[in-house]
Amino acid sequence: MHKDNQALIFELTREGRIGYSLPELDVPELDLSSLLPKGIVREEVAELPEVSELDIMRHYTALSNRNHGIDSGFYPLGSCTMKYNPKINESVARYPGFANIHPLQDESTVQGALEVMYDLQEHLVEITGMDEVTLQPAAGAHGEWTALMMIRAFHEANGDFNRTKVLVPDSAHGTNPASATVAGFDTVTVKSGEDGLVDLEDLKKHVGEDTAALMLTNPNTLGLFEEEILEMAAIVHGAGGKLYYDGANLNAVMSKARPGDMGFDAVHLNLHKTFTGPHGGGGPGSGPVGVKKDLIPFLPKPVLVKKEDVYTFEYDLPQSIGRVKPFYGNFGIYLRAYTYIRSMGPDGLKAVTEYAVLNANYMMRRLEPYFDLPYNRHCKHEFVLSGRRQKKLGVRTLDMAKRLLDFGYHPPTIYFPLNVEEGMMIEPTETESKETLDAFCDALIQIAQEVEENPEIVQNAPHTTVINRLDETKAARQPVLRYIKG
Ligand SMILES: Cc1ncc(COP(=O)(O)O)c(C=O)c1O
């Protein structure tokens, strides 16, 4: 049997085989049926696999090998920033003084942890150019929602109850209109021009006395930097609205440009992307929000402050939108982001941005002759190709993504953003070597040639994985999540 197709653990069961050894019982055996309520005591022995320690070890190792992770191969998933998670972050997050504390401990006993949180806030203030930061939100979308609730509270505190609309460009990340809707606003779509950037004339048409805010994803979902930001800021502020910056992909501009200097009132960051927290099933996220002075009174409470060298949480904040996360947020991710920022330093963070952008532009230009490039301009940290040339030959972008699995790569994001036909959104990140970038480009170029010469090999891919193609709808709607014997 191929090692990847190893039998499932229930099939390896042999009666009486065990993978543990316990010492002899040296206390009286308890009769559970007399201790537990009737009806919940199991009458038959649980049907668990009976296997040796070696079998169980091989079983889980084989399962883990079926996963593709950033530690096992290139992962150019556009928009999701699957960036290397430095291992020093993990050792810091496991320091017993951090890992073993409890959120209900008295503040006086966790001053070190609070200092890390406070310093992280200060670093993020500096990196974003904002006046204050809250670490509470647990993800990027949660940060968007939190900021919009603050913006709503700000307008209402000014007696401005008619600002019900949030303007969202069609090139925004999908969570932007979703967060605005969940925050109770109506969303209005602002069109992009032929260059892929926000059309200022269309923005002017929609802006007015009912505008609560404009949410701008920058770089936008095409990986393009919005060049007319100062004009946009003047238009929206001129109408009394606030400017929100989706900074999930700050790795495209970090240490080069700051949302605060561009006139934005609020920004969220994804610590689990730009700041190397593991994500995508690898751990909880963190979506801190930075705000300018006007919005500070509305920050979620409690707010962490430093009073004469003592760190403490302040609760008495009458205009706060309230707590948005139980306890103090995802502390383990703060530790990783803090370690990353401190180990990189200001010059290191600048280099991150430069390499992220250089790598993306290098790949875009290498692949340009083989695929359509709908927005042919200098990109930031990611770029979007179109598979429409290959579609005419009967091969879809989905097929090419599946074929990439045969080369050992995680495919890029596909069919996103929606404004690119057969889109393929590639984000290499800054840490990959030129050899890795070249090898991935070579694979995609070979696939483009296969589409012309031997399309079946692409249409029927993958050929080397444990299973071929899933019925993705069925897998999502009727997942089989447990092993049923027999
Ligand atoms: C530009 C942008 N905004 C917002 C988000 C949402 O972040 P999260 O998935 O943490 O909610 C993402 C996620 O990848 C993103 O790329």
Side-chain angles (χ1 to χ4, degrees), residues 324-368:
V324 300
K325 177 86 178 69
F327 301 114
Y328 308 111
N330 288 326
F331 181 66
I333 297 293
Y334 306 160
L335 286 172
R336 289 170 175 89
Y338 183 71
T339 307
Y340 179 64
I341 293 171
R342 295 304 302 264
S343 54
M344 296 305 285
D347 291 340
L349 292 183
K350 200 177 276 179
V352 163
T353 302
E354 288 167 359
Y355 282 109
V357 173
L358 178 66
N359 287 356
N361 279 280
Y362 175 72
M363 290 179 80
M364 181 173 80
R365 292 306 168 201
R366 266 213 70 193
L367 293 169
E368 186 193 348

Side-chain angles (χ1 to χ4, degrees), residues 79-80 139-141 144 173 175-176 217 246 248-249 268 270 272-273:
S79 183
C80 295
E144 293 165 23
H173 193 263
T175 48
N176 290 192
T217 302
D246 180 334
N249 296 326
H268 89 262
N270 280 23
H272 48 292
K273 292 175 53 173

